[in-house]
Amino acid sequence: MKDIDQQEAERHQRKMANRKAVQDAEVAEKTIEKGLLIVNTGPGKGKSTAAFGLALRMLGNGRRVGVVQFIKGAWETGERPALELFGDRVEWHTMGEGFTWETQDLKRDIDAAERAWAKAEELMADPTIGLLVLDELNIALRYDYLDLEAVIASLKARRENLHVVVTGRNAKPALIEAADTVTEMTLVKHHFKAGVKAQSGIEF
């Protein structure tokens, strides 16, 4: 362990006290409380993972969570049985039928996206839901399965205390503009490129 003399310890204490004062003042300035529209996008791994982590946090705070999956459907993911252990505190709807290169049927893809969006609007109107995860909605919007302007209008018109998380690559600029928080997952390195297959507990 590094030896710390008294002067160094006192300098550190003063520095941290000053930093705490700045941080406390900045936190005190923030007085708005509202439902947030959060977008997780980008080519890197972890967009849905982060959204489900937020769902767990919301459940830990005693709020109900809704999930609508727009594209996913071919794979059973580990998040669903885990979150369904919370019983009726989680409402989960997997509405997709797989990615468009799997279905190879444009009308079928559009119909599935429209059904998923109808379910999302139903959950947005449910006053008991504190957080709604719209998993892979960005993909449905990217392929124009849904009307972007109508989706954004509905998200903006949602009740004030509802938090919504939208995931998926290639978020549309208009959605990014409408969002309160946008995180782009940057791809630095991915094991898939080294020939490692998708594994349970990591990818699904």
Side-chain angles (χ1 to χ4, degrees):
M1 181 177 175
K2 176 184 176 184
D3 290 332
I4 301 174
D5 63 31
Q6 185 63 28
Q7 285 187 330
E8 184 178 1
E10 290 174 355
R11 281 196 303 271
H12 176 79
Q13 192 275 329
R14 288 193 300 270
K15 181 179 178 182
M16 292 301 106
N18 290 336
R19 182 171 180 181
K20 182 179 186 308
V22 171
Q23 291 292 117
D24 288 350
E26 187 174 352
V27 169
E29 290 174 359
K30 310 299 189 282
T31 58
I32 299 169
E33 187 169 335
K34 56 172 281 190
L36 300 175
L37 176 55
I38 300 169
V39 175
N40 295 343
T41 192
K45 180 172 169 52
K47 297 174 285 295
S48 296
T49 305
F52 291 125
L54 199 58
L56 190 61
R57 180 177 290 168
M58 188 65 67
L59 288 164
N61 280 278
R63 306 284 301 280
R64 291 190 74 229
V65 170
V67 178
V68 178
Q69 291 189 302
F70 278 79
I71 302 296
K72 293 170 182 171
W75 283 6
E76 288 291 329
T77 61
E79 297 94 342
R80 181 170 186 165
L83 290 178
E84 285 182 339
L85 292 174
F86 288 89
D88 63 4
R89 292 174 61 197
V90 174
E91 189 159 339
W92 188 297
H93 301 274
T94 298
M95 310 289 288
E97 299 186 33
F99 290 96
T100 187
W101 57 83
E102 293 169 337
T103 64
Q104 301 174 20
D105 185 331
L106 180 59
K107 183 181 185 305
R108 180 175 159 188
D109 290 339
I110 291 172
D111 288 347
E114 288 177 345
R115 288 194 302 272
W117 180 246
K119 179 57 69 175
E121 289 192 301
E122 179 186 317
L123 293 180
M124 280 194 285
D126 183 342
T128 70
I129 299 289
L131 172 72
L132 179 58
V133 177
L134 301 179
D135 193 31
E136 305 290 3
L137 173 58
N138 284 336
I139 305 300
L141 294 173
R142 175 189 179 189
Y143 288 116
D144 299 318
Y145 295 164
L146 299 169
D147 184 297
L148 176 63
E149 290 185 5
V151 167
I152 291 175
S154 289
L155 290 171
K156 285 183 173 180
R158 74 191 187 281
R159 53 193 167 79
E160 291 184 357
N161 64 341
L162 175 64
H163 303 289
V164 176
V165 186
V166 176
T167 75
R169 296 184 179 209
N170 302 111
K172 293 280 190 174
L175 180 61
I176 290 173
E177 178 64 27
D180 297 289
T181 298
V182 180
T183 299
E184 182 166 359
M185 306 295 187
T186 302
L187 178 61
V188 177
K189 191 174 184 179
H190 199 295
H191 52 270
F192 184 73
K193 296 293 186 183
V196 180
K197 70 177 185 178
Q199 299 174 87
S200 62
I202 301 296
E203 274 78 32
F204 56 92

